[in-house]
Amino acid sequence: GILSSFDKGYWYFFVLKLFMGAFQGLGVAPAVVLSGEIPPMKYRALALSGYSLAFGVGVLITGAIAYFTLERYGWEGFVLATTLVFSPSILFLALADESPRY
């Protein structure tokens, strides 16, 4: 994420985004499973709905960041801003329990 905001070459950016996209899929399936396993049975549907809602909220936030950064800072600033805004999710994934049932 952050590395792709500093280089101006297309192929460098393309390879970094391809690399990020390939490994991002590895985090999606466990996140869905954990958001359904951790809450009590009574709140599981709500937790999974919240997980789905978070995707839409992230899209809205990305659009707002694009509106405020693209003209002033270019695509490099946009990539850096979106990476920094969503980087706390990496901390959450590092601190989350692996699985509450095992």
Side-chain angles (χ1 to χ4, degrees):
I2 294 175
L3 287 177
S4 57
S5 68
F6 291 116
D7 192 77
K8 299 197 186 299
Y10 172 77
W11 288 108
Y12 184 77
F13 180 77
F14 176 78
V15 168
L16 285 175
K17 287 298 178 182
L18 185 68
F19 183 75
M20 283 177 50
F23 287 100
Q24 181 181 2
L26 297 174
V28 172
V32 174
V33 171
L34 286 175
S35 64
E37 276 188 359
I38 292 174
M41 184 68 92
K42 182 179 178 180
Y43 299 109
R44 284 189 184 164
L46 181 64
L48 290 170
S49 298
Y51 180 83
S52 299
L53 178 68
F55 178 77
V57 171
V59 169
L60 290 173
I61 291 171
T62 304
I65 292 171
Y67 178 77
F68 289 112
T69 58
L70 276 175
E71 272 190 44
R72 182 175 289 170
Y73 303 108
W75 67 268
E76 296 94 346
F78 171 69
V79 171
L80 182 62
T82 54
T83 302
L84 293 176
V85 167
F86 294 111
S87 61
S89 63
I90 295 170
L91 180 65
F92 171 74
L93 289 174
L95 297 176
D97 292 334
E98 183 179 339
S99 181
R101 297 194 181 187
Y102 298 103

